[in-house]
Amino acid sequence: MTSFTNKTLITQEYPKPPFNKQRQPIPGLASKMEPRPDHGETSYRGTGRLTGRKALITGGDSGIGRAVAIAYAREGADVAINYLPEEEEDAAEVVKLIEAEGRKAVAIPGDIRSESFCQQLVKEAAQKLDGLDILVNNAGRQQFNESIRTLSTEDFDATFKTNVYAMFWITKAALEYLPAGSSIINTSSVQAYEPSAILLDYAQTKASIAAFTKALAKQLGEQQIRVNAVAPGPYWTPLQVCGGQPQEKVEQFGATAPLGRPGQPAEIAPLYVTFAETTNSFTSGQVWCSDGGTGTL
Ligand code: NAD
Ligand code: MG
């Protein structure tokens, strides 16, 4: 039998497990991961799909949010990113990458577990970008815990504040600015549908995000604002090496995915671009999964 090969079909040889042991304090830095995640810094090519758009991305310093920020800038959008003050080093790299595209970059550090900060964040982003028409709720907290008996109220609360309340507060504030045709994109997870025993609080928040997305899409249809979610997993990001997974799972991260490896953030950014662009004007209330082939959703 003749076998045909086409080297252009696989553009990157992405890293496979086993990975080295590594543990960073939360929230961690992409620059300290080994190997460094690929956020599309040298590979993403835009074709003007978001020309003139104005986006706010939470958790835009690293991981999936950084890949989305790079893609959006290369597609022609101005981008504001939010992150925690400890992540300034990662955020500064993202600002440089956005500006290298000739786009406006706005960096707004702060903790989204505060409602007043969330309101301030949206206001500042809209003022500095001179408008807002894409909101990407992407920041997240994931800390594994073996048992409901050891899961503290403080941890449970912090996970819900970061993943659920902040999305509610930021979205509500953003509605003051989002015109017809805008797009809201939330970040759920395969955990919403296949929850791990050790991610009891996190998995619940990701299920909440899927339900929030579907209910809000029904509310905002009349205003011509679309609401969708992306459901990733497993992706090679700081979240996983800062207590998101136990060390043995970090070493084998992605091994059970049919593609045999974790995804790199660059591989999921195109989904966020597709949800955001105006040509995709009839898709709302959807959750789009990217997890290396399990077919969960
Ligand atoms: P990441 O660590 O790069 O990004 C998470 C970001 O959340 C951090 O960079 C930080 O800026 C932000 N954040 C956390 N707590 C915050 C707070 N209190 N205030 C402000 N910002 C805060 O990791 P990631 O994997 O790219 O995570 C992005 C999203 O993807 C999260 O919602 C996560 O739940 C989701 N997700 C990731 C995976 C995965 O395998 N990596 C799988 C499913 C879902
Ligand atoms: Mg980060």
Side-chain angles (χ1 to χ4, degrees), residues 27-28 30 39 58-66 82-84 87 90 110-113 117 137-142 162-163 187-191 202 206 209 230-240 242 245 253 265 272:
H39 307 91
T58 62
D61 58 301
S62 60
I64 293 167
R66 179 198 287 221
N82 161 251
Y83 50 91
L84 286 163
E87 299 173 299
D90 272 356
D111 191 329
I112 59 171
R113 288 174 296 178
F117 173 72
N137 287 307
N138 166 75
R141 178 183 195 274
Q142 176 185 327
T162 312
N163 300 3
T187 305
S188 179
S189 168
V190 287
Q191 287 293 323
Y202 176 82
K206 294 294 158 175
I209 294 168
V230 175
Y235 272 83
W236 186 245
T237 69
L239 191 82
Q240 306 294 355
C242 296
Q245 301 288 345
F253 198 58
Y272 288 81

Side-chain angles (χ1 to χ4, degrees), residues 56 58 82 108-126 132 135 137 139 160-177:
L56 168 60
T58 62
N82 161 251
I108 312 174
D111 191 329
I112 59 171
R113 288 174 296 178
S114 146
E115 181 172 10
S116 58
F117 173 72
C118 288
Q119 291 164 344
Q120 177 55 36
L121 164 66
V122 172
K123 192 173 168 193
E124 191 178 332
L132 193 64
L135 170 63
N137 287 307
F160 270 81
K161 284 269 162 50
T162 312
N163 300 3
V164 179
Y165 279 73
M167 171 184 66
F168 166 60
W169 292 327
I170 291 169
T171 304
K172 198 169 170 175
L175 287 175
E176 297 298 313
Y177 303 96

